[in-house]
Amino acid sequence: MKEPIISVRNLTKRFGNFTAVNAISFDVEKGEIFGFLGANGAGKTTAMRMLCGLSFPTSGSGKVAGFDVMREGEKIKRHIGYMSQRFSLYNDLTVWENMQFYAGIYGMSARDSAARSTELLQRLDFLNERDTLVGSLPLGWKQKLSFVIATIHRPSIVFLDEPTGGVDPITRRQFWELIYEAAATGTTIFVTTHYMDEAEYCSRVSIMVDGEVRALDTPAQLKKQFAAESMDEVFRTLARGAKRGE
Amino acid sequence: MAAIEVHNLCKRYGKVTALDHVSFVVEKGELFGLIGPDGAGKTTLFRLLATLLNPDEGSATVEGCDIVKEYRSIREIVGYMPGRFSLYQDLSVEENLNFFAALFGTKVEDAYELIEPIYKQIEPFKSRRAGKLSGGMKQKLALSCALIHRPKVLFLDEPTTGVDAVSRSEFWDMLSDLKQRGISILVSTPYMDEASRCDRVALCNEGKILTIDTPDAIVRSFDRPLYAVSCSNMFGLLCKARADRGVVDCYPFGSTHHVVANDEFAAGQFVDNMKAQGLSDVVVEPAQPTIEDVFINLMKR
């Protein structure tokens, strides 16, 4: 078995007497596209914040990118990539300036950051736009640029929080091709989405309900397990049983 | 008289044309969907119809009232739920509802029977501040507030964005109930699969309407052979299928890829071609087009 890049056991987060995340345990392997699904209010965001080093678990144990989730939040943050559902590049900086800015935040040298930016823009076939203001780019391009910038410091894992919300169906698919490519070169992808067809594109999918991971397997196995035609049906079956109103 | 009539409506922001000569009609009692991604012009259209913006060209009426000249009358008869939560976060659920009722010179009790199916789901939390509600509860409160003056026409701007599949489906059930009560509804969504919940839809992209019809008729308008293909190496299949002579377009579609074929396409030949390139377990099946297939096809033309 390949070495896991995320490995958590009984990860729990309580706010007062409310248990937002209740003892979740799972492994994510290197190079996987791991889909992290759940109904609104199931605890997805809280779980993801713990995995990204933004919030410490109340109890449990685990490692992300080789660092301890209980103690090494700062190190985790430095070694992962993160793309938020809200567009977070600077509209009044150019493509190139945004890349240098983020590379700088991650402590990359000027030379390394220039080389890496050129490589990424080349791969996107986007070198001609390096001096374009990000604010004037079409939405689809902003989205793709956000993704490659989230990988600028060559993280071994990238967390994508609803990366394709509101994006047109063609761009949405082009975006997934970028994800496939990144995964094929060994980058692990951890992705949340409300589009159930996108759940089918994942290597494995976990579904959270009421703070717990209720299902975790390949889309094909999950469909078999729940005797469902599609991931949409699997999701509905599980989410309908949710006790926790949102 | 129709509920909404839009003729050649245009809106520009500087150099950007947000809405580019858009025309359509929503009949009374119709549930009409605007389906399209961000940047399609949906929000601009709502702001124009809700009389919050004036158009640069064209005209529109809501219940026969002109959106420029008769904006006061329109504001009394429409309910508008913007995409961004716009109630008062530091007022409680009940206070928000009373506030909106007071704005329209009415009382919550007068509309209670209309909002009850929606409001009763959040009534147990009526003393909670709106800002402390979950996404789904905020959405229900916003809809209750938009209904408080018994509007004839309802404008809902992306009410289901960011909401999970089950809650989305429940929200559409609520809309069907409101439609039964004779309210005309214009609703936008980026989720193509929600088109089937509307009487008619306009597919829109970059300020233009691509097509308008019933969801069934739109799906039937897909005029090319469509297949679902799959194998154990889906990414490899995507790249190789696109280069195949019989293939017009190939794109991921859930657990399969959809292949839009030309006249040269034959399933057996395709499987052989893929095998010759190292993909030995390719399966080809005829597929039923969906709204999303039509949308992709229209965008590429």
Side-chain angles (χ1 to χ4, degrees):
Chain A
M1 182 167 144
K2 288 190 233 163
E3 119 205 49
I5 185 121
I6 296 179
S7 179
V8 292
R9 294 294 174 271
N10 297 314
L11 214 57
T12 299
K13 183 77 182 185
R14 274 190 282 273
F15 298 105
N17 50 18
F18 176 68
T19 306
V21 174
N22 190 7
I24 58 171
S25 303
F26 60 88
D27 288 348
V28 177
E29 277 154 42
K30 213 166 174 290
E32 261 197 302
I33 302 174
F34 191 84
F36 197 60
L37 311 188
N40 297 116
K44 254 181 342 192
T45 306
T46 308
M48 198 145 141
R49 288 178 57 84
M50 289 192 281
L51 297 173
C52 291
L54 294 170
S55 142
F56 289 111
T58 311
S59 62
S61 64
K63 282 189 167 184
V64 174
F67 300 101
D68 190 336
V69 290
M70 299 299 284
R71 294 182 292 108
E72 298 178 299
E74 281 307 314
K75 284 190 179 151
I76 291 176
K77 274 192 246 173
R78 232 169 288 158
H79 286 84
I80 61 166
Y82 178 78
M83 177 178 163
S84 92
Q85 86 198 77
R86 290 243 308 266
F87 181 69
S88 55
L89 301 184
Y90 291 91
N91 279 320
D92 44 6
L93 294 185
T94 64
V95 169
W96 187 257
E97 287 165 343
N98 265 289
M99 297 183 97
Q100 302 320 301
F101 176 76
Y102 279 95
I105 283 185
Y106 285 109
M108 292 168 71
S109 71
R111 179 186 293 188
D112 188 22
S113 129
R116 175 71 172 157
S117 303
T118 306
E119 174 200 330
L120 290 171
L121 289 179
Q122 227 151 22
R123 198 185 306 159
L124 279 183
D125 200 11
F126 210 47
L127 264 178
N128 291 336
E129 305 292 337
R130 56 169 266 171
D131 297 323
T132 306
L133 283 182
V134 160
S136 65
L137 293 175
L139 182 84
W141 274 105
K142 287 184 180 172
Q143 213 83 2
K144 285 183 220 172
L145 192 62
S146 300
F147 176 71
V148 300
I149 288 182
T151 68
I152 196 150
H153 55 302
R154 304 183 188 86
S156 45
I157 179 164
V158 189
F159 290 83
L160 309 173
D161 193 4
E162 284 181 45
T164 55
V167 175
D168 74 69
I170 294 180
T171 309
R172 202 151 74 77
R173 287 171 169 80
Q174 289 169 349
F175 189 85
W176 270 91
E177 285 177 39
L178 271 184
I179 294 182
Y180 272 132
E181 253 178 58
T185 55
T187 308
T188 310
I189 310 286
F190 187 98
V191 58
T192 72
T193 180
H194 282 306
Y195 291 99
M196 288 305 132
D197 60 327
E198 294 186 347
E200 310 263 9
Y201 307 155
C202 300
S203 335
R204 285 191 307 149
V205 170
S206 78
I207 301 177
M208 276 189 82
V209 180
D210 294 342
E212 293 168 6
V213 171
R214 272 310 148 70
L216 198 175
D217 215 324
T218 62
Q221 281 301 326
L222 286 176
K223 282 184 270 183
K224 208 179 269 176
Q225 184 186 338
F226 290 89
E229 293 271 310
S230 63
M231 282 304 293
D232 188 47
E233 227 181 297
V234 172
F235 182 81
R236 279 163 199 272
T237 306
L238 280 165
R240 247 189 231 116
K243 299 258 180 344
R244 199 191 262 172
E246 197 245 306
Chain B
M1 182 184 64
I4 303 170
E5 291 186 39
V6 176
H7 302 287
N8 271 321
L9 213 53
C10 277
K11 182 69 192 176
R12 296 180 200 93
Y13 303 112
K15 281 186 211 158
V16 179
T17 303
L19 212 58
D20 192 0
H21 296 93
V22 162
S23 303
F24 65 95
V25 173
V26 177
E27 300 298 341
K28 278 204 165 136
E30 201 173 17
L31 175 49
F32 191 97
L34 296 166
I35 317 270
D38 291 355
K42 308 186 296 286
T43 299
T44 297
L45 181 58
F46 279 116
R47 290 189 179 150
L48 288 165
L49 294 177
T51 75
L52 301 173
L53 285 176
N54 281 336
D56 292 319
E57 274 178 58
S59 63
T61 60
V62 178
E63 288 284 319
C65 303
D66 183 86
I67 58 165
V68 178
K69 295 192 198 96
E70 297 168 283
Y71 69 93
R72 281 179 188 278
S73 320
I74 291 181
R75 290 177 186 182
E76 283 170 20
I77 53 170
V78 303
Y80 174 41
M81 184 174 155
R84 194 185 296 174
F85 185 65
S86 55
L87 304 182
Y88 292 91
Q89 311 260 7
D90 46 3
L91 293 186
S92 71
V93 167
E94 203 174 22
E95 286 166 342
N96 266 296
L97 211 53
N98 284 326
F99 176 76
F100 280 91
L103 278 186
F104 287 103
T106 179
K107 289 201 175 68
V108 174
E109 298 84 75
D110 297 340
Y112 191 78
E113 145 284 330
L114 177 65
I115 64 168
E116 190 184 7
I118 302 152
Y119 184 62
K120 73 176 181 213
Q121 302 175 46
I122 51 171
E123 209 165 14
F125 310 98
K126 64 184 177 187
S127 53
R128 190 180 288 187
R129 285 185 187 190
K132 297 279 180 198
L133 296 176
S134 69
M137 293 202 294
K138 278 182 181 162
Q139 181 200 43
K140 286 172 188 132
L141 177 59
L143 183 58
S144 302
C145 289
L147 287 167
I148 201 80
H149 57 300
R150 297 182 165 276
K152 292 181 174 159
V153 181
L154 203 49
F155 297 141
L156 308 170
D157 192 4
E158 298 206 14
T160 55
T161 291
V163 176
D164 73 64
V166 173
S167 308
R168 282 203 270 140
S169 155
E170 287 168 2
F171 192 83
W172 281 97
D173 292 341
M174 289 190 266
L175 295 192
S176 300
D177 288 347
L178 292 171
K179 174 189 137 71
Q180 295 305 319
R181 290 160 158 270
I183 299 178
S184 314
I185 304 175
L186 182 67
V187 54
S188 68
T189 177
Y191 298 105
M192 306 274 149
D193 59 339
E194 293 182 347
S196 63
R197 306 294 300 258
C198 302
D199 297 323
R200 285 191 307 143
V201 296
L203 303 187
C204 31
N205 192 46
E206 293 181 340
K208 293 198 174 79
I209 290 182
L210 303 172
T211 185
I212 302 177
D213 216 325
T214 63
D216 278 350
I218 287 182
V219 166
R220 279 199 306 272
S221 74
F222 193 88
D223 53 1
R224 284 182 163 133
L226 187 73
Y227 296 90
V229 301
S230 58
C231 77
S232 52
N233 174 4
M234 291 298 278
F235 189 50
L237 178 59
L238 187 64
C239 304
K240 294 191 166 76
R242 279 182 185 155
D244 193 82
R245 273 178 50 189
V247 173
V248 177
D249 195 6
C250 178
Y251 44 86
F253 205 92
S255 58
T256 65
H257 296 329
H258 273 183
V259 162
V260 182
N262 60 30
D263 298 339
E264 284 184 50
F265 187 90
Q269 183 65 51
F270 180 79
V271 170
D272 290 345
N273 293 352
M274 293 301 114
K275 197 179 228 164
Q277 296 174 75
L279 300 175
S280 57
D281 56 348
V282 173
V283 177
V284 181
E285 278 170 346
Q288 286 299 323
T290 65
I291 294 276
E292 194 150 354
D293 291 296
V294 177
F295 200 101
I296 290 172
N297 201 27
L298 289 173
M299 265 183 85
K300 286 193 173 166
R301 270 180 196 177

